[in-house]
Every structure is written in structure tokens, then in C-alpha cells.
Amino acid sequence: MPRKIPEPLFPAPLAYENPEFLNSADGRMLRIMAEYQEPMARFRRERIQDTVVFFGSARFRALDVASHELELLDNTGSATPAPPEEQPASREEMARGEASVQQLRLAEAAVEMAAYYEDARRLAGMVSRWAMGLPGRRHRYVVTSGGGPGIMEAANRGAYEVGAKTIGLNIKLPFEQMPNPYISPELNFEFHYFFMRKYWFAYLAKALVVFPGGFGTLDEMFELLTLAQTRKLAKKITVVIYGSGYWNSVVNLDMLAEKGAIAMKDRELFQFADTPEEAFRLLRAGLAEDAQDSAYEREQHWVGRGVPEEPAPSAQELLGPDIAKTR
């Protein structure tokens, strides 16, 4: 018996426009490659040469002009406040004598963290202002953060306030998270894969500033220190750990060397600082040799000239070949 003539088919979706495939396990390699190639293309287009990365807590809001209350966030990167019983004591509660010991301790810690916010903001501004004065055809030592609130916001804010470009490498999380508003829009990134985000932290960084933080900050700090310790980075990276009182009470780094868990010389991989001025001095000293005019820039008579305002040409535009576009 003859088969029925089938209904006409609609065109199949193009493979790169097929969300079912792209979001499947089979499309994972393409997603990973995209989180490498798309940021690379944007960094080249925006003429980014290297970065100074700021790590630190995302859980604390700043004590700002518009707000007189410090508030703990529910989770790292979350926009939702923590439960009332975990919040610092308010001024009214302290005045009425209604605050618990735990709430008083949290209030004291919140004030301390607000001070770190302002220090990160000042330091990022100092670094950015200095970097903007360096010669070259690309932006140097661009302040970079994880893109969220807290210390990350402070770093982006400090760079923004002096008119510098600033990068936010955000991560997609199960709970709500928005990039802070101080990131340069053209350098606002969102990653699905933590390891690709970490790659971009490490790949461009010439210096790292570690402010007080929690699990994420510890993870990122020790990962970069391990890369430097094992010489997997083909460059020197200056690491400044900010807030010696906080860090010495959280982790005993000297004990690692005293017990032989790390070599004594590994203690030289990082330095402590307790003021923005001290941290800036250490960063400038660590970056001094790298910040010198490159031979290429001298040959191209670029010394004394600023970064071009127009976007950099793509590799295709710069190197060719002149491949015809397709429709």
C-alpha cells in the first residue's frame, strides 16, 4: 500500500541558533569555547592589555551617604538580605539596649567591612589614575573584579570615579545577582563556568589585591598563589593581601612555612598592606619594570601618546585574508 505524502517541512534551525542543541550536554564544548573566544574578542576590541584584580567579600553593603544602616546579604552575590537574626544590630536597637551579643559583634564587623569598602574604592582609584597616565596603545592595569556587590563594587566604583575603564567578570548563580553599576558596559561579562571565569582572572592579571572575604575569596587567592608557586604563570604577579589583622586571624600563612607545608621562599609570593597608600606603593614597585615602555611602542613612536578612542580592529581586519562575508 503506497505511503501517504508527508506534509511540507519547515526549514530546520541553524545549528548555532538551535537552543536545544546549544544547551545540551553535546553543546557543552561550544559553550566553553564561547566563554573563551567572546571575552577575548571584546578585550582585544577594547584595547585591554592587562589587569589588576581585586578579590573580596560580596556579603557586605557599604556605609554610604544615602544609607546609615549596614546590612548583611543572604549569600555571596545575592541581592536578598540575610535573615533578621543574622543581621547586625541597628543603631536604634543598640540605643534601646535590645541588641544581642551576636548582633553587637556583627555590627562591629559590619563597620570594619564598610571601612574596607572605602579602602578598596580609594586604592582602585589610585591604581586607575596612575595607569591612565602610562604611555601605550592599550589600556594598562585595568581594575577588574568579580562584578558583584561589596568589595567588588568598591573596586569598580573607584576606577569609574576617576574616569577609567573597569572590568566585571560576573558569574551566573542560582539566586539573583546583578552586575554592579560601576562596570564599564562594554567590559561587563557573565560566565556560566567558574573555571572559565577564573581563567580570565589569571590570564590578564599582573597584580592581585585580596581584601577580606570568605570561601570565594580564599579559593581565588590560593588558586592564583598556587599558579605562581608552581610557576605555571609565564609572568610575574604581584600579590597584596589587604588587612593583616583580618587575615592573620583567619589563616596562619606563616605557620604553613614553619611546618614545612610550603617553602620559606613561598612566603615571598605575597605581601601585606593595611592602608591604600601602602598597598599602592607595593603595587607600583611590583609593576615598575613591567610598566616601562615596550620596545614595540618606542619603535612605533607611541611614547607620550594616549590609547586610541576607536575600537581596535579585529584579527580578521588586521591580518586578513580578505574573506568575503556571507549572508
Side-chain angles (χ1 to χ4, degrees), residues 102-324:
Q102 174 68 7
Q103 286 178 311
L104 290 171
R105 287 176 179 169
L106 286 170
E108 182 180 352
V111 171
E112 178 187 6
M113 293 306 292
Y116 284 129
Y117 178 103
E118 293 303 326
D119 285 356
R121 178 180 170 186
R122 284 181 55 206
L123 177 59
M126 294 165 73
V127 170
S128 298
R129 190 180 291 109
W130 168 68
M132 289 168 69
L134 296 174
R137 67 198 188 283
R138 290 179 289 180
H139 297 283
R140 304 299 311 272
Y141 313 128
V142 180
V143 167
T144 300
S145 83
I151 296 298
M152 295 179 283
E153 177 187 288
N156 293 130
R157 182 176 180 177
Y160 169 85
E161 288 172 337
V162 299
K165 285 183 178 290
T166 182
I167 299 168
L169 305 181
N170 224 307
I171 187 75
K172 189 174 181 63
L173 297 172
F175 37 82
E176 72 277 16
Q177 173 172 288
M178 295 293 289
N180 72 67
Y182 301 104
I183 301 165
S184 300
E186 65 277 12
L187 294 169
N188 177 30
F189 296 88
E190 182 91 2
F191 291 87
H192 174 77
Y193 297 104
F194 261 109
F195 64 88
M196 289 308 304
R197 181 187 188 228
K198 288 180 175 181
Y199 171 85
W200 283 114
F201 276 135
Y203 187 73
L204 295 176
K206 291 290 180 63
L208 171 66
V209 188
V210 187
F211 274 79
F215 289 161
T217 303
L218 287 163
D219 170 57
E220 292 156 342
M221 174 177 73
F222 281 119
E223 183 150 26
L224 279 172
L225 284 175
T226 301
L227 290 172
Q229 178 198 45
T230 55
R231 301 183 184 179
K232 292 296 290 183
L233 296 173
K235 59 185 175 183
K236 177 186 175 184
I237 186 166
T238 300
V239 179
V240 176
I241 300 178
Y242 196 95
S244 59
Y246 176 90
W247 287 111
N248 286 328
S249 65
V250 170
V251 57
N252 192 335
L253 296 168
D254 290 327
M255 184 62 72
L256 293 175
E258 291 172 13
K259 296 296 185 182
I262 62 173
M264 286 293 182
K265 68 177 183 298
D266 290 336
R267 181 60 182 78
E268 300 172 5
L269 293 172
F270 55 87
Q271 303 170 83
F272 284 105
D274 290 303
T275 66
E277 291 74 18
E278 183 183 9
F280 181 59
R281 178 180 59 79
L282 294 174
L283 289 171
R284 280 197 61 172
L287 296 170
E289 183 177 348
D290 182 72
Q292 298 300 312
D293 305 331
S294 71
Y296 177 87
E297 287 162 352
R298 288 194 296 271
E299 290 169 6
Q300 299 298 316
H301 307 289
W302 212 278
V303 176
R305 297 165 63 187
V307 180
E309 292 186 5
E310 71 277 6
S314 67
Q316 175 71 34
E317 295 167 332
L318 191 63
L319 303 174
D322 191 13
I323 300 173

Side-chain angles (χ1 to χ4, degrees), residues 57-77:
S57 175
R59 292 198 68 204
F60 291 86
R61 299 189 193 274
L63 181 62
D64 210 76
V65 177
S67 173
H68 298 287
E69 296 295 338
L70 285 159
E71 185 178 43
L72 268 176
L73 300 179
D74 184 45
N75 204 333
T76 299

Side-chain angles (χ1 to χ4, degrees), residues 7-49:
E7 295 291 330
L9 289 176
F10 290 102
L14 296 169
Y16 57 84
E17 293 181 344
N18 184 347
E20 184 177 353
F21 165 68
L22 291 176
N23 294 315
S24 69
D26 290 323
R28 181 174 292 120
M29 182 54 68
L30 297 179
R31 298 197 300 273
I32 293 171
M33 289 174 62
E35 292 202 346
Y36 168 80
Q37 194 60 42
E38 194 270 349
M40 175 69 83
R42 261 203 277 172
F43 286 133
R44 284 176 173 164
R45 182 173 178 78
E46 296 303 323
R47 302 180 186 270
I48 305 301
Q49 179 162 331

